[in-house]
Amino acid sequence: MSEQKYAISKYPDVDEIYAALDRLISQPMHPIKRDKMQGYLKYFEEKCATSKKLTDRAKQFIPGGVQHNLAFNYPFPIAITKAKGAYLWDADENRYVDFLQAGGPILLGSNYEPVMEKAIEVIRDCGPVTGLFHEYELKLAELINRHMPAVEIFRMLGSGTEGVLAALRLARTFTGKQKVIKAGGAYHGWSDQMVFGLHVPLTGPMEAHGIPAGCYQDTQEFFPTDLAALRTLLETNHKGGGTAAVILEPVGPESGTRPVPFDYNQKVRELCDEFGALLIFDEVVTGFRLGLGGAQGYFGVIPDLTVFGKAVAGGYPAAGGLGGKAHIMERLAAGLEAGKTRAYVGGTLSANPLSCAAGYYSILELEKTDAPIKAGRAGDKLTAGLKKLIAKHGLPFVAYNQGSICHLETSAVMLMDIRKDAKKAILEAKPRKHMIEEMGAAFMAEGVITLAGSRLYTSMADTDEVIAQALASFDRVLANAGPAQ
Ligand SMILES: Cc1ncc(COP(=O)(O)O)c(C=O)c1O
C-alpha cells in the first residue's frame, strides 16, 4: 500500500457545526435584499443574452431546457462554452471561478492537459469503445487496488448510480438477505430503490414519483447521526430476514452537508459485523477527493464494497464502478463454477478504453501532483475566508469543510429536521429552496459558480489568487444579504 496523505487537515467539530446550523434554521431567513436581487437579475438579462437565447430554444426540445440537476435554472440556465483550470466561460464570454467542478470529479482543474492528451491518444488508437478488453481496464483496477487495498477486485461501470445498483444487488446475492439501510438524506444516485429518504432524512418515498412502492419496500433509512436508530433497524431485521447491507456516504449525507463524527464509520462497521450485514461505502465523491486512499483510508475503516463514480474516470464520461473483497466480488463475474449465484450487471459502454485510460492517467496525475491535498488546502482557505466574511457582515450563515468539499449554508434547506418540527420543515422547504437559488444566481452574477448555491468543490487549480478573487465576490454578495423584509 502506498503511503497516504489526506485532504482534511483538521476534522470538523461536528457538534459545533450542528449548533450553528440550528441557530441558522431557527432565525428568519437572510436572503439577498430585494433591490439588490433585481440588480443581479439584470446581470443575467444584460450579460447572458446568448445563454438565454440558447436555453429558451432548448426548452422546446429538452425538458425544462436543462439536463443536469445541479445546473442553475434560475433565472435561466447558463450555457458554458469553455473550461480551463479554475475557470469556466459562458456563451457570452463571461468568466467564472468554478466551484461546481462538474459536480465533484475534477481535482486537477478543468481540462488538465496531460490527461487530455492521453485521452486523445486512446481515441486515435482505438476510438472510445470497442466492446472488448483493453489493457487500461487492468491498469486502472491495479492502480485503485494499490491505493485502496480493500478494493481487491474492481469492476468499471457507467455511473455512480449503476455502481450503487450493482453493490445492492451483489450484497443481496452474497448474503441472501433483502433489506438495505441508508442514512436518511444521503444521495446514492437515482435508482428506484435509492430515491428514498432523499435530501431530507426520514422523508421516505416523498420524492419517489413514478416508482412502484415494491421497488423501495426493502430500503430503510435512519436519521444519519442516530446510531441507536440504526441498531434498532438491524435488530428488527435480524428477527426477520436480516440486513443485506448498510450503505453510507462516509463524510455524511449529501457529501457531508450533514457531517458525521470521526468515529461514526467505525461504529457502523461494528454494527454491520454484529448483525452480519455488508458495509458499502459510497465513495463516488470521496473517492480520490479525500486522498488517494479515499474515505476508507482516511477513516481507517474497511468496507466490504466500495462504489466509485466521478473522479474514477477523471471527469471523462462513463464514470462508475464497484470494488471490494474478492470472495464477494467474484459473484459479479460471468462463468462462475456451478452452485454459486451471480449478480447480473451489464453496460455496453462500461469499462470502455477512453474512461479507463482517463481514470488511470488522472489518478497517476493525482499521485504525481498531490492534487487532493492541494485541493484540500484550497478548501481550507476558502472556508476560513467565508467564515470571516459571515462574521464581518453579521450573518447567521454557516461555512464548514471536509478538505476540498466545502459547504456554505445560507438557508439550510436540506438541514431541516422533521423530527423536531415537521410543519416548519414542510412550510419552509419552498422559500428556503428559492433562497439558495437566489444566492446561487447572485454568486454567479458576481463571478462564482457553486453547486446548488451551497456547496463548493475546490481543485488543485484553486491557487491563493483564485481563492482571493472568489472571496472578493462572496464579500460583495454577502454585503447584500439581510433579514427578510
Ligand atoms: C455520493 C453519490 N453517490 C452516487 C451518485 C450518483 O452518481 P452518478 O451521478 O454518476 O450516477 C452521486 C452523484 O452525485 C453521489 O454524489
Side-chain angles (χ1 to χ4, degrees):
M1 184 185 163
S2 54
E3 191 52 40
Q4 296 292 7
K5 288 180 269 180
Y6 290 96
I8 300 179
S9 51
K10 181 173 172 282
Y11 198 72
D13 182 333
V14 169
D15 292 335
E16 203 175 275
I17 294 170
Y18 281 114
L21 289 168
D22 279 349
R23 284 194 296 276
L24 170 62
I25 291 168
S26 65
Q27 295 193 29
M29 288 190 290
H30 285 59
I32 304 293
K33 292 173 190 144
R34 293 304 80 192
D35 55 328
K36 304 292 181 191
M37 197 61 220
Q38 285 313 311
Y40 285 135
L41 294 179
K42 221 161 141 203
Y43 163 87
F44 289 92
E45 289 300 329
E46 288 175 359
K47 303 275 189 187
C48 304
T50 312
S51 285
K52 181 152 180 17
K53 224 191 278 170
L54 281 172
T55 53
D56 273 351
R57 243 174 73 207
K59 279 184 198 145
Q60 293 174 44
F61 300 102
I62 292 168
V66 65
Q67 323 218 35
H68 290 104
N69 289 335
L70 302 178
F72 281 106
N73 300 336
Y74 184 78
F76 50 81
I78 294 299
I80 297 297
T81 51
K82 186 177 154 190
K84 185 82 200 143
Y87 297 102
L88 295 174
W89 285 261
D90 69 17
D92 293 285
E93 296 182 8
N94 301 302
R95 188 181 81 162
Y96 305 92
V97 176
D98 173 21
F99 290 135
L100 173 60
Q101 297 289 294
I106 294 162
L107 274 157
L108 293 157
S110 280
N111 234 346
Y112 192 70
E113 292 231 1
V115 178
M116 184 173 64
E117 275 158 20
K118 293 291 183 187
I120 291 169
E121 214 172 89
V122 172
I123 293 173
R124 283 217 177 94
D125 287 347
C126 65
V129 63
T130 64
L132 294 171
F133 180 77
H134 195 289
E135 190 185 353
Y136 280 128
E137 294 173 49
L138 170 63
K139 281 175 174 271
L140 178 61
E142 280 176 339
L143 187 55
I144 293 173
N145 170 259
R146 176 149 67 79
H147 292 295
M148 297 187 189
V151 180
E152 294 169 3
I153 304 273
F154 172 77
R155 179 152 177 174
M156 188 82 165
L157 295 161
S159 65
T161 298
E162 287 183 30
V164 170
L165 264 177
L168 301 181
R169 190 169 296 174
L170 178 57
R172 289 184 172 122
T173 306
F174 180 78
T175 61
K177 300 168 186 172
Q178 290 308 311
K179 299 282 185 218
V180 295
I181 306 177
K182 64 168 283 195
Y187 185 64
H188 297 294
W190 57 279
S191 69
D192 284 351
Q193 355 173 23
M194 288 285 114
V195 181
F196 186 88
L198 209 59
H199 305 314
V200 178
L202 309 187
T203 51
M206 192 174 78
E207 300 209 42
H209 310 295
I211 302 176
C215 293
Y216 50 78
Q217 71 184 9
D218 287 319
T219 306
Q220 299 171 320
E221 60 169 323
F222 64 100
F223 196 83
T225 42
D226 186 355
L227 291 182
L230 174 59
R231 168 176 282 282
T232 304
L233 280 175
L234 287 162
E235 272 170 359
T236 310
N237 293 347
H238 195 62
K239 290 177 197 145
T243 305
V246 177
I247 181 165
L248 292 181
E249 287 181 75
V251 289
E254 280 287 350
S255 301
T257 299
R258 281 184 185 271
V260 290
F262 186 83
D263 60 358
Y264 176 86
N265 291 289
Q266 178 56 33
K267 287 184 174 160
V268 176
R269 173 74 272 178
E270 285 161 18
L271 281 171
C272 285
D273 291 343
E274 187 179 336
F275 290 96
L278 299 189
L279 175 62
I280 304 170
F281 272 2
D282 179 341
E283 294 235 37
V284 167
V285 168
T286 51
F288 316 121
R289 184 164 276 284
L290 247 51
L292 288 157
Q296 52 201 271
Y298 175 69
F299 290 108
V301 176
I302 297 178
D304 299 291
L305 294 173
T306 303
V307 178
F308 294 86
K310 302 190 192 264
V312 79
Y316 282 75
L322 176 63
K325 295 176 181 165
H327 69 288
I328 305 173
M329 287 294 292
E330 68 172 9
R331 301 294 191 96
L332 282 185
L336 278 178
E337 67 249 46
K340 284 190 182 166
T341 46
R342 173 188 174 202
Y344 190 90
V345 299
T348 304
L349 294 188
S350 291
N352 67 73
L354 173 61
S355 309
C356 293
Y360 173 69
Y361 285 111
S362 58
I363 296 170
L364 284 185
E365 288 297 323
L366 297 182
E367 257 180 44
K368 213 195 286 177
T369 60
D370 251 353
I373 316 304
K374 288 179 182 155
R377 292 302 82 78
D380 289 344
K381 284 179 190 152
L382 178 62
T383 308
L386 288 170
K387 282 182 179 166
K388 273 194 196 146
L389 293 177
I390 290 167
K392 172 179 162 187
H393 295 292
L395 292 163
F397 302 163
V398 190
Y400 48 102
N401 70 312
Q402 299 100 349
S404 58
I405 312 171
C406 309
H407 309 271
L408 172 59
E409 287 299 334
T410 58
S411 89
V413 60
M414 280 202 279
L415 288 138
M416 307 294 279
D417 188 341
I418 67 167
R419 296 174 311 176
K420 285 188 186 153
D421 193 342
K423 197 168 152 213
K424 179 181 164 82
I426 292 163
L427 277 178
E428 293 186 9
K430 223 172 162 183
R432 283 181 187 272
K433 182 165 179 285
H434 184 60
M435 181 183 150
I436 54 166
E437 278 172 350
E438 287 193 344
M439 293 304 288
F443 296 147
M444 199 160 185
E446 293 285 7
V448 175
I449 294 185
T450 59
L451 188 158
S454 64
R455 198 181 310 160
L456 309 105
Y457 287 120
T458 48
S459 81
M460 179 173 78
D462 293 320
T463 58
D464 287 355
E465 195 190 335
V466 173
I467 297 295
Q469 190 190 338
L471 287 171
S473 298
F474 283 114
D475 194 8
R476 292 192 292 275
V477 176
L478 296 195
N480 290 332
Q485 290 128 346

